[in-house]
Amino acid sequence: MVGWKKEDGEESRVRALRSLQKGYPRGLSELHPAPQPIFLVGPWNHPGPLVAIVGARNATDDGRDVARELAGALAARGIAVVSGLARGIDAAAHEGALEAGGPSGAVLGTSLDEIYPRQHASLQLALSRSLGLMSEIKPGDPATPGTFASRNRILAAIADAVVVVQGCSRSGSLITAKEALRLGRPVGAVPWDPREALGQAPHELIRAGKATLVRHADDVLELLGKDTLSPAAPGRSPVAAPAIQSLPPHEAALYRALRERPRPLDDLAAAASLTAAELNVALLALELNGLAQRAPGGLARRRRRGP
């Protein structure tokens, strides 16, 4: 056991486990060679499925939105979301799961006592208190380019399914997908505009018949071989999307244009084809219904709403 100092001064413990020891993460023993040992922080004891959501570091705004919303919908139904704590799709997936009140964990390409990237310090701490953190690098040892690629195989091994959201033709997410397929894990991929460069990785997987097209949480559920979504864990409120068709036209148009990240009001007006006056009226109505929230700097965002 070795100490690991959290940023808020709280002391956690790193567990170093080998494949025959109790608590060794399920799936890792299928790797050849299996990590010996694997270093863990956090419980890593989720009884339900684990879904890996992976993709580009330089993801588009829409890509991050899709990852965040998909992770939130899965986490709210009791499915744990795992990823690699990288910028872009990984971070959005972690954030979406945590925001929905669900579990999320990260497989790191660095040792557990290192924070990388630095801007993810608070996210890394939150994950350590959720499902946990995992790495095959001994605390204090440096990371190398190869350790990040190795991280992808570990992520594939612990997941019950892998979903690729965005990535170029040489994306690291393809390594995760390839390893998942080798291990017999189902792979899903989100389709994009064919002109979108970051659609190359998911399109390549779908076109080759290696991945199932994923549009939303129900498609991921089919990948897991489940007919219905399980209820959320006790104390967690599922994410309920409002019935868009029940909203007045201007409100429905604005709600479709809103994202969970704040967007400028001018952009929202253009996306929803509303005048400034129409947007203000529609935004106020959505705010009163708990569906939208203004942010400083002339921005607004979508809000999640419970049932």
Side-chain angles (χ1 to χ4, degrees):
M1 304 282 274
V2 60
W4 180 66
K5 195 72 172 178
K6 291 183 177 180
E7 286 213 328
D8 63 356
E10 180 183 307
E11 188 75 7
S12 182
R13 303 300 294 177
V14 174
R15 309 189 302 284
L17 298 178
R18 294 183 178 274
S19 56
L20 297 179
Q21 291 181 284
K22 182 179 179 180
Y24 191 77
R26 67 189 192 207
L28 285 189
S29 58
E30 297 177 47
L31 293 175
H32 301 290
Q36 302 286 3
I38 191 75
F39 298 95
L40 306 172
V41 164
W44 285 103
N45 60 352
H46 185 66
L50 273 62
V51 171
I53 298 178
V54 297
R57 287 179 173 83
N58 60 332
T60 65
D61 288 343
D62 283 341
R64 290 191 293 271
D65 283 338
V66 167
R68 183 177 287 107
E69 292 173 10
L70 179 60
L74 292 171
R77 292 163 172 86
I79 295 173
V81 173
V82 294
S83 197
L85 195 62
R87 292 184 294 271
I89 297 301
D90 288 18
H94 290 308
E95 290 164 356
L98 295 174
E99 288 167 5
S104 185
V107 179
L108 307 185
T110 63
S111 63
L112 297 181
D113 56 355
E114 184 175 347
I115 297 172
Y116 181 82
R118 294 298 303 178
Q119 63 263 41
H120 286 174
S122 60
L123 179 57
Q124 185 165 329
L125 177 59
L127 292 169
S128 74
R129 292 171 167 171
S130 183
L131 187 60
L133 306 172
M134 181 183 303
S135 175
E136 64 178 333
I137 304 174
K138 181 181 178 181
D141 285 357
T144 67
T147 60
F148 285 92
S150 183
R151 178 265 311 274
N152 294 335
R153 74 187 184 100
I154 293 174
L155 193 56
I158 65 170
D160 295 291
V162 170
V163 178
V164 177
V165 175
Q166 280 189 329
C168 65
S169 60
R170 292 186 293 178
S171 171
S173 61
L174 288 173
I175 299 175
T176 309
K178 180 179 179 179
E179 187 65 25
L181 291 167
R182 189 187 71 80
L183 293 169
R185 312 288 193 263
V187 174
V190 177
W192 293 94
D193 184 322
R195 296 166 295 184
E196 171 59 66
L198 290 177
Q200 291 175 348
H203 290 167
E204 179 179 321
L205 290 168
I206 294 170
R207 188 171 184 273
K210 297 178 179 179
T212 299
L213 187 149
V214 165
R215 301 160 297 174
H216 41 58
D218 292 308
D219 289 340
V220 179
L221 196 70
E222 288 187 17
L223 281 179
L224 295 170
K226 298 183 180 295
D227 295 327
T228 57
L229 290 172
S230 60
R236 294 178 184 141
S237 297
V239 176
I244 298 297
Q245 60 268 27
S246 69
L247 296 173
H250 287 175
E251 293 172 35
L254 178 56
Y255 187 81
R256 282 191 291 266
L258 288 167
R259 298 290 184 268
E260 290 185 23
R261 58 179 170 81
R263 295 187 67 184
L265 297 184
D266 288 346
D267 289 355
L268 290 169
S273 299
L274 299 176
T275 65
E278 290 169 339
L279 179 133
N280 284 328
V281 172
L283 181 56
L284 178 59
L286 292 178
E287 287 181 288
L288 293 174
N289 284 317
L291 300 176
Q293 181 179 24
R294 294 179 192 263
L299 307 173
R301 63 186 292 270
R302 183 182 293 187
R303 288 186 61 185
R304 284 196 173 101
R305 184 180 69 173

